[in-house]
Amino acid sequence: MAASEYRSSAYQALTDRERAERAARSGGEPILEFGDSLTPFVSYVRSDVLLSLQNFRTKSPSEPAFLIATQVMELMFKLGHIEVLQVRDLLDADEIDAALWALRRVRSVQSLLTDVWELLSPLSPADYGEFRDQLGDGSGFQSFAYRQWEFALGNKNAAMARPHAGDRATHGELLRVLSEPSLYDAVIRLLGRNGLPIPADCADRDWAQPYRARPEVEQAWRQVYQERDRYQVLHRLAETLVDVAYEFGKWRATHLLVVERVLGSKPGTGGTSGVDWLRRAAEHRFFPELWSVRGVL
Ligand code: HEM
């Protein structure tokens, strides 16, 4: 197709029939001319910007895999965060079926996130050593996308926003997510609206404070599990949430394994003791009463 024939608006709302006619005119061949504009793909995906952000700092053959894997994870943390907020809002609107549907997307994000470690698990200590110094004090610990995703799921810790105080926009965004109800807060309120005995100070609290597991919430889940026929949808929601917590645990456990393989007992670039610190962090479980209830069923 000639450039003159191309309507260069970024968004072309063609009907299926118009597309078929156009494909017939070009003999089924792709559009190759876009005049002076970016292609519509590039202008939508912004791949011109995205693919200009891989600023490798060494000639190490392993650094591209490290940086790109990290960037992919950052994007996935962002997507996970967006999806989790959608689930939370659907639960607040009592649209549990739609929330369960959206949770499938969260699971897909998580499964991809865990798979990304495959790019980094082959790193030997020497490979990592070729570019580690370039990180300076930089560490995934300082990923604000990861913190937003954790806060949105329910692991609130105001201290984790502090490293970002120097970037007002990011810090403000993190504090906003910190002070809103998390997905798990929404789940607990949903239990209350479904007639389960949830204490008032669980259903309405200072959302920025860390969530502390409560025996009353465990008891509510116990009722859901023991009366599965009565609470079918809540039971399905419970097990889907455990899937999410389980997959998050897998991401953390795989991170720990990769770090142990690459770094051994050395401290991290972010200032921690390294694997010992990560091992403790990996013990955290989202939706704690859904784990503890298993011991009383
Ligand atoms: C060879 C690769 C990696 C090594 C050796 C490594 C090492 C570490 C270490 C030692 C810590 C503890 C904090 C510190 O002192 O730095 C940490 C934390 C963390 N890393 Fe990595 N890391 C690697 C790859 C990644 C990647 C690709 C990501 C993705 C963004 C990532 C995300 C995180 C996050 C989110 C934390 C904080 C965990 C928490 O607070 O529970 N790491 N990493």
Side-chain angles (χ1 to χ4, degrees), residues 66 70 73 117 120 139-141 146-147 255 259 268 270-272 277:
F66 176 79
T70 305
M73 286 205 202
W117 287 121
L120 298 179
S139 163
F141 178 85
Y146 180 81
R147 294 303 163 206
H255 180 218
V259 175
T272 73
W277 186 89

Side-chain angles (χ1 to χ4, degrees), residues 57-70:
R57 292 184 175 173
T58 67
K59 299 230 174 300
S60 162
S62 305
E63 194 193 345
F66 176 79
L67 181 55
I68 291 178
T70 305

Side-chain angles (χ1 to χ4, degrees), residues 84 87-88 91-92 150-156 180-191 198 202-203 205 207 211-214 216-221 237-238 241-242 245 284-293:
V84 162
V87 175
R88 179 198 65 185
L91 292 176
D92 277 341
E150 269 202 319
F151 288 175
L153 281 163
N155 190 18
K156 299 283 186 73
E180 284 180 355
S182 69
L183 168 64
Y184 195 48
D185 293 319
V187 169
I188 291 171
R189 292 197 297 190
L190 179 79
L191 295 182
I198 295 296
C202 268
R205 62 185 188 91
W207 308 115
Y211 179 76
R212 303 267 172 245
R214 298 278 297 258
E216 299 92 331
V217 175
E218 182 189 288
Q219 181 53 34
W221 283 126
L237 176 63
L241 290 171
V242 176
H284 171 266
R285 295 285 174 265
F286 285 96
F287 326 132
E289 296 92 343
L290 279 171
W291 294 91
S292 65
V293 73

Side-chain angles (χ1 to χ4, degrees), residues 94-111:
D94 292 311
E95 294 188 36
I96 310 181
D97 271 343
L100 283 166
W101 189 252
L103 275 166
R104 293 168 75 242
R105 294 199 299 268
V106 174
R107 293 290 312 288
S108 304
V109 171
Q110 291 186 291
S111 140

Side-chain angles (χ1 to χ4, degrees), residues 66 69-71 73-74 77 117 120 123 128 131-132 138-143 146-147 150 160 251-252 255 258-259 262-263 266-275 277-278 281-282:
F66 176 79
T70 305
Q71 291 183 336
M73 286 205 202
E74 287 287 292
F77 294 152
W117 287 121
L120 298 179
L123 275 181
Y128 184 54
F131 57 86
R132 183 183 189 213
S139 163
F141 178 85
Q142 298 145 16
S143 161
Y146 180 81
R147 294 303 163 206
E150 269 202 319
M160 296 301 156
W251 183 89
R252 285 185 176 133
H255 180 218
V258 170
V259 175
V262 168
L263 210 59
K266 291 183 197 153
T269 43
T272 73
S273 57
V275 286
W277 186 89
L278 278 173

Side-chain angles (χ1 to χ4, degrees), residues 80-81 86 95 109 125 138 152 180 196 247-248 284:
H81 169 227
Q86 290 186 25
E95 294 188 36
V109 171
E180 284 180 355
L196 288 149
E247 196 62 44
F248 210 111
H284 171 266

